[in-house]
Amino acid sequence: MSLPQQLRDESDFDQLPDNIPVTATIADIEEKKGFIVYYRFVIEVKTKGNSKYLIYRRYRQFFTLHQSLELKYSAEAQPGYYTCQLPTLPGKVFMGNKKEIAESRIPELNNYMKRLLCLPTWVLLDDLIRMFFYQTELDSQQVPRALRRLRPPTRKVKTVKPKADLLSAPRAEVVFDFSGSGRLELSLKAGDVIFLLRRVNADWLEGTVRDKTGIFPESFVNIIKPLPESDSDEEGGASKSGNRAKSSYSCLRCYLLQPEGIDTRDICVEEDLSIQPSYKDLLSQMRGIFQVEDIALNYRDPEGDLIRILDDEDIVLMVQESKQTGSKVKRPVNQFPWELLVTHAKDLTVYNTEY
């Protein structure tokens, strides 16, 4: 027998544990440059025990949560089981300016979270909701930028920036011209002086030149003053004390296989290593990196054979197989355990077709 929709009463509320979220408000949006440019919502969560913290969620995570709740609690999906009236989630938008779409979703998502957290207490105790609003370790390591929607109005005060001691700053001189191929990569000219911020991995650094910040390969520069040892750790750029936030970059190694040789690239994106990108996003990224339109994406299976990727299901299989074989290969901690091998779409000679 299904339970009727009910308002939360005081006795139910008092029995909730203190770490249950009771309100959630979007404080800001942040642009991230992953396999595609996307925006994530910075959300301030308040719990029954009056604690506050920030979590970072993409729209796709709201969508996944809502789908799971519908399968579990909607009357259509589970007749005869505990059901309730779920709030309406704003639908997907496939065209338009991404920032404008994210901004327009803020009031709708705020209303969605408000209504979600007013559902009956037995729904609030569901792990689906608790894990969505839970502050993960990755959430706690993020540094919020502005939180403009939580900031009260203030008058502008002119501030004087202290002059940096440029001679003591870690820096490098560009030896060879470098044309950045990704959204995160700097373009360099021989003779430029780059002020170093941190090491991304064994081969790439992050720095600032001509008021632009990004990443670049170390092999194109001559180090004048190196980074401090705590900023030069190849295992993700974290200090030994563990107080610094983990690197926000994850690196993917990809290869373009051509008759004249192999072109190897490392691309760095603002994505978590656990992300499972879509086939469409990866294809678009590789076309931009290698400047070749008619390409095919591939990976190597555990036997070493090249497998062509055709859709998102193949991406799932590639990621799963990389987890099984990834432990055998030593990689930097911020490098994806899978690699992409890019071939020309009409070149079938790269595949093992012998039986």
Side-chain angles (χ1 to χ4, degrees):
M1 180 178 180
S2 63
L3 294 179
Q5 183 181 5
Q6 54 184 288
L7 294 175
R8 181 194 300 153
D9 59 38
E10 290 299 323
S11 60
D12 286 338
F13 183 75
D14 289 341
Q15 294 175 13
L16 289 173
D18 284 346
N19 63 354
I20 285 290
V22 292
T23 66
T25 306
I26 294 175
D28 209 346
I29 60 171
E30 291 184 353
E31 181 186 39
K32 306 299 288 181
K33 296 175 181 177
F35 290 106
I36 58 170
V37 173
Y38 66 91
Y39 284 84
R40 66 179 183 179
F41 300 94
V42 186
I43 304 168
E44 183 187 60
V45 179
K46 296 181 183 178
T47 68
K48 176 174 173 278
N50 293 321
S51 65
K52 295 181 184 179
Y53 53 82
L54 297 176
I55 60 174
Y56 300 77
R57 300 292 182 266
R58 297 171 67 167
Y59 172 79
R60 66 167 59 171
Q61 292 171 282
F62 279 95
F63 190 81
T64 300
L65 169 69
H66 190 73
Q67 281 189 314
S68 300
L69 291 175
E70 280 190 324
L71 288 173
K72 199 167 186 179
Y73 293 117
S74 69
E76 296 79 11
Q78 295 287 355
Y81 192 64
Y82 288 170
T83 62
C84 66
Q85 184 66 44
L86 295 172
T88 302
L89 180 73
K92 290 184 176 181
V93 179
F94 298 97
M95 300 290 289
N97 181 282
K98 292 184 179 181
K99 184 176 183 180
E100 292 177 358
I101 292 170
E103 291 279 7
S104 68
R105 277 177 169 160
I106 291 176
E108 296 174 310
L109 290 177
N110 275 336
N111 185 55
Y112 176 79
M113 292 187 291
K114 179 181 178 180
R115 294 185 60 193
L116 193 65
L117 295 176
C118 285
L119 289 175
T121 54
W122 48 270
V123 180
L124 295 185
L125 291 170
D126 191 293
D127 284 345
L128 290 170
I129 293 179
R130 297 185 71 173
M131 292 308 298
F132 180 84
F133 290 103
Y134 175 74
Q135 187 185 44
T136 65
E137 182 182 359
L138 189 61
D139 287 330
S140 66
Q141 292 167 346
Q142 304 300 306
V143 179
R145 297 173 185 173
L147 303 184
R148 55 195 167 89
R149 292 179 171 268
L150 297 183
R151 186 177 63 230
T154 58
R155 62 185 181 90
K156 290 185 178 180
V157 179
K158 186 177 180 180
T159 58
V160 179
K161 294 183 179 179
K163 189 174 181 180
D165 184 1
L166 300 181
L167 293 178
S168 64
R171 59 196 186 280
E173 181 180 2
V174 180
V175 180
F176 309 105
D177 289 353
F178 173 73
S179 180
S181 58
R183 300 183 185 96
L184 299 175
E185 296 177 13
L186 288 174
S187 290
L188 308 175
K189 292 183 179 180
D192 283 346
V193 174
I194 306 176
F195 293 96
L196 307 177
L197 298 177
R198 65 185 178 91
R199 179 174 292 282
V200 177
N201 62 18
D203 303 311
W204 287 73
L205 296 165
E206 183 181 35
T208 299
V209 63
R210 299 189 301 277
D211 295 326
K212 293 184 178 180
T213 298
I215 60 174
F216 59 93
E218 185 178 7
S219 57
F220 281 71
V221 303
N222 176 42
I223 303 296
I224 299 172
K225 181 169 183 179
L227 287 161
E229 184 179 351
S230 61
D231 288 336
S232 300
D233 186 351
E234 294 179 5
E235 298 299 311
S239 66
K240 292 180 180 179
S241 64
N243 293 326
R244 294 190 59 197
K246 288 184 179 179
S247 170
S248 59
Y249 297 111
S250 297
C251 296
L252 170 65
R253 177 151 292 182
C254 46
Y255 308 87
L256 176 62
L257 308 184
Q258 304 180 94
E260 58 268 26
I262 299 176
D263 185 359
T264 304
R265 302 286 183 92
D266 283 323
I267 63 169
C268 296
V269 293
E270 291 182 291
E271 299 276 15
D272 187 73
L273 288 176
S274 61
I275 190 71
Q276 190 169 281
S278 71
Y279 168 74
K280 179 181 176 182
D281 292 344
L282 280 179
L283 185 63
S284 175
Q285 180 78 272
M286 293 302 106
R287 283 171 172 164
I289 291 295
F290 293 112
Q291 293 296 297
V292 181
E293 196 66 24
D294 193 19
I295 59 172
L297 306 185
N298 309 269
Y299 71 96
R300 290 201 184 278
D301 66 10
E303 287 72 41
D305 293 329
L306 215 59
I307 305 297
R308 179 171 286 199
I309 300 170
L310 300 175
D311 51 31
D312 288 343
E313 291 185 5
D314 290 337
I315 298 290
V316 173
L317 184 60
M318 174 186 70
V319 173
Q320 289 176 343
E321 291 190 359
S322 72
K323 292 177 181 178
Q324 300 171 4
T325 60
S327 58
K328 301 176 183 178
V329 181
K330 187 175 181 180
R331 293 188 176 93
V333 294
N334 63 329
Q335 184 171 328
F336 286 99
W338 44 274
E339 297 177 339
L340 281 181
L341 295 97
V342 180
T343 59
H344 292 281
K346 296 179 181 179
D347 182 7
L348 303 181
T349 63
V350 296
Y351 303 105
N352 181 9
T353 56
E354 296 181 5
Y355 293 95

